[in-house]
Amino acid sequence: MKITVVGAGAVGATCADNIMRRELAEEVVLLDIKEGLAEGKALDMFQTATLCGFDTKITGSTSDYSKTAGSGVVVITSGIPRKPGMTREELIGTNANIVKGVTESILQHSPDAIIIIVSNPMDTMTQLTLQTSGLPKNRIIGMGGILDSARFKTYLSMALDCPPNDIHATVIGGHGDTTMIPLTRLATRNGVPVSQFLDDATLQKVAADTMVGGATLTKLIGTSAWYAPGAAVAELVESIVRDQKHIFPCCVALNGEYGQSDICLGVPVVIGKDGWEAIIDYTLTDDEQAKFNQSAEAVRSMNSVL
Ligand code: NAI
């Protein structure tokens, strides 16, 4: 399979690197609008093949979409990232134009592709792609919840002083500082609810830290993060290309699930060769459902500027 990553910035290049190292494609195409950037990063990455033991080919392209032709999966990371103090929502105007244009160009050459949206504000960019591309809804997946869940699990493991992989936890709702919902009630350490190890105040702090996880990194680094976002995209791509049927929280079009319709929002979905294949409808408590409804309203109001 050929996989295209649009945007050769921090997140796009890290996505491509992770996809290659996992050998998820025969060929990866990295595309950017900046002259030479994608070609240069692709060549640098290809020169790690003999050092890291993979054979995936990677090529770069400056806005030549013919090189992306026949891609099975396309990851869209093009757009501006936030700076310290900015919300993801402030990126909307610039990134909406970029994401719309990129999607049109991609579909001219890869009409059967599954599209993964990474550019922020991701929930609104996913909605935009659904509205403008004409693609079946199962082929449009917004990536945010996998990253937010990874942050949640990491903060839980730090609070518990245990290995991160002993933790299972998920974040649903929007991919925004105030719209995401870390499901503390369902978080477990080796199958045991984390509430048996941590008091309420600690759990609330972990949830709050998770929600501003991206902003914390932006403040430290000066721009938004890329290592965990890149790895999160690769996790999603792997479940598609290997048809693994993993359940990940992703931003998808809801049609009555979780009490919401006509909106793309983060919920657990089965990911396989056809994109997102089913929504797992957890039973939420009244409080969780109220938060989900608030999250939907906030994302709806953001979508209204499209
Ligand atoms: P970056 O600035 O390092 O890279 C963005 C790249 O997009 C640049 O190289 C730029 O030249 C390119 N670009 C701009 N317009 C383009 C066009 N029309 N066609 C092709 N390429 C174009 O930014 P970074 O850090 O890689 O972030 C990218 C996006 O991903 C941002 O919107 C950021 O907020 C978002 N993001 C989303 C996450 C998520 O979980 N969904 C996590 C982290 C970042």
Side-chain angles (χ1 to χ4, degrees):
M1 183 191 283
K2 185 194 276 187
I3 296 177
T4 289
V5 180
V6 182
V11 175
T14 313
C15 287
D17 193 32
N18 277 277
I19 289 167
M20 290 174 65
R21 283 169 193 256
R22 294 184 189 208
E23 295 193 304
L24 300 181
E26 277 85 48
E27 184 182 356
V28 174
V29 178
L30 187 61
L31 183 145
D32 202 283
I33 200 169
K34 261 187 220 151
E35 189 69 42
L37 181 72
E39 286 91 336
K41 288 200 179 182
L43 185 58
D44 187 15
M45 270 183 243
F46 202 27
Q47 289 166 358
T48 69
T50 60
L51 302 168
C52 300
F54 62 80
D55 287 321
T56 299
K57 186 180 166 197
I58 178 159
T59 51
S61 160
T62 304
S63 300
D64 179 0
Y65 282 86
S66 68
K67 294 203 172 134
T68 69
S71 294
V73 178
V74 175
V75 183
I76 300 184
T77 76
S78 46
I80 50 168
R82 58 181 169 160
K83 297 288 172 210
M86 281 175 89
T87 64
R88 295 175 178 93
E89 290 74 11
E90 289 174 65
L91 310 172
I92 195 164
T94 308
N95 286 357
N97 284 331
I98 293 173
V99 169
K100 188 165 180 286
V102 164
T103 308
E104 282 163 9
S105 305
I106 279 294
L107 290 176
Q108 279 170 19
H109 298 274
S110 302
D112 299 322
I114 292 169
I115 311 273
I116 297 175
I117 305 290
V118 180
S119 309
N120 273 319
M122 181 277 290
D123 304 293
T124 299
M125 295 303 115
T126 306
Q127 184 79 35
L128 173 74
T129 307
L130 180 76
Q131 284 172 8
T132 58
S133 68
L135 287 180
K137 62 183 179 179
N138 66 302
R139 281 171 41 203
I140 301 171
I141 308 171
M143 194 297 291
I146 305 181
L147 172 65
D148 299 329
S149 300
R151 288 177 173 155
F152 188 28
K153 289 182 238 183
T154 308
Y155 279 123
L156 280 169
S157 76
M158 286 158 68
L160 286 159
D161 194 20
C162 77
N165 286 291
D166 284 359
I167 305 289
H168 286 91
T170 198
V171 176
I172 61 170
H175 177 59
D177 297 357
T178 56
T179 58
M180 70 179 78
I181 307 158
L183 288 176
T184 306
R185 178 179 61 93
L186 299 178
T188 65
R189 172 186 184 180
N190 297 101
V192 180
V194 291
S195 56
Q196 296 210 7
F197 306 102
L198 299 172
D199 59 33
D200 270 358
T202 307
L203 282 173
Q204 277 173 25
K205 179 166 183 340
V206 165
D209 286 346
T210 301
M211 293 173 76
V212 295
T216 301
L217 292 170
T218 302
K219 208 165 151 192
L220 289 167
I221 304 171
T223 185
S224 69
W226 57 87
Y227 291 114
V233 170
E235 193 78 347
L236 181 53
V237 170
E238 181 160 12
S239 197
I240 296 170
V241 302
R242 301 207 201 286
D243 197 23
Q244 288 173 325
K245 317 284 190 202
H246 280 304
I247 295 173
F248 293 127
C250 294
C251 180
V252 301
L254 298 182
N255 185 20
E257 299 87 355
Y258 292 86
Q260 295 291 336
S261 296
D262 301 322
I263 188 165
C264 295
L265 212 55
V267 294
V269 287
V270 178
I271 300 286
K273 64 178 174 24
D274 296 323
W276 67 268
E277 298 179 354
I279 293 176
I280 308 296
D281 214 344
Y282 290 169
T283 304
L284 299 180
T285 63
D286 289 349
D287 180 51
E288 290 161 351
Q289 184 64 52
K291 285 182 179 158
F292 194 83
N293 294 344
Q294 280 166 17
S295 180
E297 279 324 301
V299 171
R300 242 186 217 106
S301 106
M302 207 162 37
N303 292 350
S304 67
V305 307
L306 287 175

